[in-house]
Amino acid sequence: MYRSIFAQALFKDQVVIVTGGGSGIGRCVAHELAALGAVVALVGRTPEKLAAVQAEIAAAGGRSDAYPCNIRDEEGVKALVARVLERHGRIDGLVNNAGGQFPAPLKDISLKGWEAVLQTNLTGGFLMARECLNQAMAASGGAIVNIVADMWGGMPNMGHSGAARAGMVNFTETAAFEWAQYGVRVNAVAPGYVASSGMDAYPPAMHQTIREFPQTVPLKRFGTEAEVSAAIVFLLSGAASFITGTTLRVDGGRPNVRPGMPMPEMRNPAEPFNGFHLATLPKILQDGGAS
Ligand code: ADE
């Protein structure tokens, strides 16, 4: 079972949509929410990946169902939210986690590539949030958590993603104001370098750079998926009832590093929080993994 720090039935019978639920952080938070009693609506483009996570959650005694959908497609998003409502009669939470990008310097990004990344990481999240608000949450309240990234101060070689994630932070702030009247809280979580399956999608030329990321992090390690999930679950929960419009960084202090300021040695490394029973290291971080 998932080893959550939260109370066992915290989300009992609540319906929470998790986009990008077929892998990585989305899969992890879907497991944690299901372990806490939620019915999780898994959204993603690949039905096989969603079915696999659904089976894992069922094996752990949890409840979920799968909704294959491309979040860039407005009609598809409208229909998906309507189907979740039809099946369950309510939507209490949305984790806007689906995302993706490809590494490239700005000068080499085509209009098509730029728009694709903006659509996935900004427009898709807006469509999901808007539909959840208009179809369900404006009447019954709810909580939305947008997953962004450590793009503070720029995101070299990921400029399209950085621009989209920064846009999502501002969207979070506007939505927090406009939707507070409906009892809807809107927050974001910004993960830094997290050991997650997404790391294996990067080209071999980047693998060594990725392995060296922890040297640039004050806490001197990668984060775990469960550490990000715990932040998301907190923001969805009643314990965060007075929190809206904020972005919670989960990044080991990476943006607090100052150029020219020597990085101190780590003297007392703390144990990572590893509550996810099915967590595995991405291949590029395993001993003898892909190089
Ligand atoms: N995960 C990554 N990109 C996605 C998309 N466009 N739709 C749904 N899930 C996704």
Side-chain angles (χ1 to χ4, degrees):
M1 273 296 278
Y2 199 103
R3 293 180 304 281
S4 178
I5 61 146
F6 295 96
Q8 215 183 1
L10 191 62
F11 292 89
K12 191 169 176 351
D13 299 331
Q14 289 192 25
V15 177
V16 184
I17 299 178
V18 178
T19 69
S23 60
I25 290 166
R27 168 177 170 244
C28 180
V29 73
H31 270 277
E32 181 162 16
L33 289 165
L36 297 172
V39 179
V40 180
L42 299 161
V43 176
R45 273 178 309 182
T46 316
E48 298 75 22
K49 284 167 67 176
L50 300 181
V53 174
Q54 199 182 357
E56 290 170 1
I57 288 175
R63 290 175 295 167
S64 68
D65 41 29
Y67 300 85
C69 175
N70 183 348
I71 59 161
R72 300 178 193 177
D73 170 15
E74 183 175 24
E75 293 312 311
V77 168
K78 283 184 181 171
L80 143 76
V81 172
R83 267 188 291 135
V84 176
L85 258 185
E86 221 172 79
R87 190 177 297 183
H88 299 295
R90 56 191 284 174
I91 298 174
D92 300 285
L94 166 66
V95 182
N96 245 335
N97 163 76
Q101 61 265 310
F102 56 91
L106 290 172
K107 70 180 180 53
D108 297 338
I109 299 175
S110 67
L111 177 61
K112 189 163 170 256
W114 175 269
E115 286 183 339
V117 172
L118 268 283
Q119 277 176 21
T120 299
N121 297 292
L122 180 60
T123 310
F126 158 68
L127 291 174
M128 285 296 310
R130 188 196 66 190
E131 285 311 306
C132 284
L133 188 281
N134 285 336
Q135 294 193 41
M137 292 180 178
S140 52
I144 296 172
V145 179
N146 299 315
I147 312 308
V148 294
D150 173 4
M151 47 57 199
W152 315 104
M155 204 173 184
N157 283 321
M158 295 277 190
H160 40 19
S161 183
R165 305 325 182 124
M168 204 63 198
V169 168
N170 199 266
F171 165 77
T172 299
E173 293 169 341
T174 303
F177 175 79
E178 292 189 4
W179 298 352
Q181 63 188 305
Y182 305 115
V184 176
R185 295 181 300 103
V186 190
N187 291 293
V189 167
Y193 301 136
V194 172
S196 185
S197 56
M199 276 186 175
D200 287 328
Y202 291 107
M206 282 186 68
H207 288 185
Q208 195 49 32
T209 308
I210 291 172
R211 288 193 196 98
E212 290 171 6
F213 278 163
Q215 294 171 19
T216 66
V217 176
L219 287 177
K220 290 286 165 59
R221 63 173 177 84
F222 287 103
T224 67
E225 292 170 339
E227 288 167 331
V228 181
S229 182
I232 300 168
V233 169
F234 165 65
L235 288 172
L236 286 174
S237 77
S241 291
F242 200 51
I243 302 179
T244 196
T246 200
T247 297
L248 180 52
R249 285 173 29 207
V250 184
D251 56 23
R254 205 288 313 164
N256 303 110
V257 174
R258 288 283 172 273
M261 185 64 69
M263 179 78 83
E265 285 297 309
M266 171 56 76
R267 294 161 198 268
N268 296 317
E271 273 299 300
F273 172 65
N274 253 322
F276 185 22
H277 55 300
L278 299 179
T280 54
L281 273 182
K283 288 192 190 66
I284 69 162
L285 299 184
Q286 291 172 13
D287 288 340
S291 58

